[in-house]
Amino acid sequence: MATFNLTRRNFIKGGMVGAAGIAAAGALAGCSSPSKSTGEEKKQESLAGKVKETQSADVVVIGLGASGLMAALAAADAGAKVIAVDSATNFEGTTNTHTTGAWLIESKEELKHEHYLTQQQAFELLEPGTHFQCNGKALRNIIRSSAQAANYLIDGGVKFMYAFEGSDESSPMLNRGGHVYLEEGEPRADNFRDMCAQRSSLTTIFNCKAQELVVGDDGKVTGVICENNGTVTQFDAPAVIVCTGGFLSNEDMIKEHFAGAVIVNQGMGQNDGTGIKMCQAAGAQIGKNFSVSCNEMGAANLKASPSYSWAPGRDTNPCFYLPLFGNILVDKRGERFMNEQQMAEQTMYSGEPMLRDPYYYTVIDQTYLDTIKSNPVFDFLTEGTKANMGAALLMGFQGVTIDNFEEKVDEAIDQGWAAKADTIEELGEAFSLTNLADTIDKYNEACALGYDDEFFLPADYMHAIENGPYYVFEYNPGAWVTLGGIKTDGFCRAVNSDNDIVEGLYVAGVDGDFWSVPYFQGGSCNGLSLASGVLAGKTAAEDVL
């Protein structure tokens, strides 16, 4: 395996360099603000006339995140000469060096246990769970490919905690397929580098951003043009696999596909929709289903720094945890809009209600604030919330008391995403929540009765808001990744508006229209991305060899 860092300097020299140890800004486990894209910069003239070098392969893979790495490995193992490119500086800057866990089916470690998660059980969970909006044929084949993806990682030395150990058929599905990563960043990147190095027919090139697909007069995709610092290289191949990680950092695409939503990007800044746009320009049809994987660790706000929640110890503001505790949630009019239990217990999958408004809010009183700062965080998490997080993430909340919570409230107020007032009326004025006072009155009445006839919030979640001063917190929806993209056949081949195959073009991971609405099973985004990469890589290699 050869690895290149394609810069102007080493392009001119023709030299080969190893991957440098630089972590990417905006990584999933970090707290930096990822870069944003409006999409306008993609409207540019073709780079075909500026190509300075041409390289060739059987298969070119665009992106080396979860799906791209798997696609490159699977294609190489099928006998193809593979070139894989990524815009990151090295593997440390790719998505799958920072993910938390993968939901995988029938890995070699799972098969050691009597009650392992079967392919049939996984399929029969996801199909109805997503209201049959999946690409059923692709989903079935992706599930078939899951074991190979898992085994690539296991054999490659990636360290896991196996959540399925000791589980049976009554255990939560999150546990039954759970492969929880124990290391992130450089150690996991080293594993990925080693996997690639073991395959002599695979070349990885970093610092190399794909810009446009090469399409012949017959409509076949025959390569991709990439650019870095003004250097333009064309990679020719009869098969191109697009695995660029969705479009969470592209504000225009977010507004287009999520009805004007504003979403805090907790993922990678380079996931700007370029891959999807390139596929569309080559004649591929975009699907109709779009969703997000929300942050199961709490809320987000663009005014905050850091801008989203993570487990205690990561220097994020604990005011972001309040939705996890089942506190009242209101929209920009100051009106409730959902059963808050769902936000507390199914946080990652509650993206749809959140996306209907750029902002949502929660309100607490002084009594509740005093309770939070003097009691362990764990006491505020219900059994449903704990099950939603899973054991690995939950460990971060154990033994933690937020005794500086009041200071963090003041920090949020200073940053402009919280307010404090002596009355609910004054509190509502801080963010123009016109109907907040009436909403709180009705909510307090429900608390007194022990019954919520508006959204049927269970009584054990309700607590009256009646002892001032009062506090309001403004949140934006936050997400790790978008879900939804290019339509494919059952084997990750891109299709056009007539459902005919766009020859030479393949799609994997969250660039594809596979399993998106709603995001249903924890860990499935990473797990199915990995597996779809295997499927795309095998398919592409078989098609061209």
Side-chain angles (χ1 to χ4, degrees), residues 172-249:
M173 280 293 186
L174 182 64
N175 290 349
R176 294 193 63 203
H179 295 64
V180 182
Y181 297 107
L182 290 177
E183 295 178 321
E184 63 177 299
E186 186 175 356
R188 208 188 305 175
D190 286 339
N191 295 137
F192 297 163
R193 277 188 281 269
D194 290 343
M195 292 180 205
C196 295
Q198 292 166 11
R199 292 160 171 85
S200 59
S201 63
L202 169 59
T203 298
T204 59
I205 302 176
F206 290 92
N207 220 6
C208 183
K209 184 172 178 59
Q211 296 287 4
E212 61 185 273
L213 296 173
V214 180
V215 183
D217 293 338
D218 56 1
K220 295 180 181 179
V221 173
T222 60
V224 61
I225 299 175
C226 301
E227 182 180 19
N228 183 6
N229 297 324
T231 298
V232 180
T233 301
Q234 181 168 314
F235 298 94
D236 291 330
V240 177
I241 308 174
V242 176
C243 312
T244 58
F247 56 91
L248 191 56
S249 69

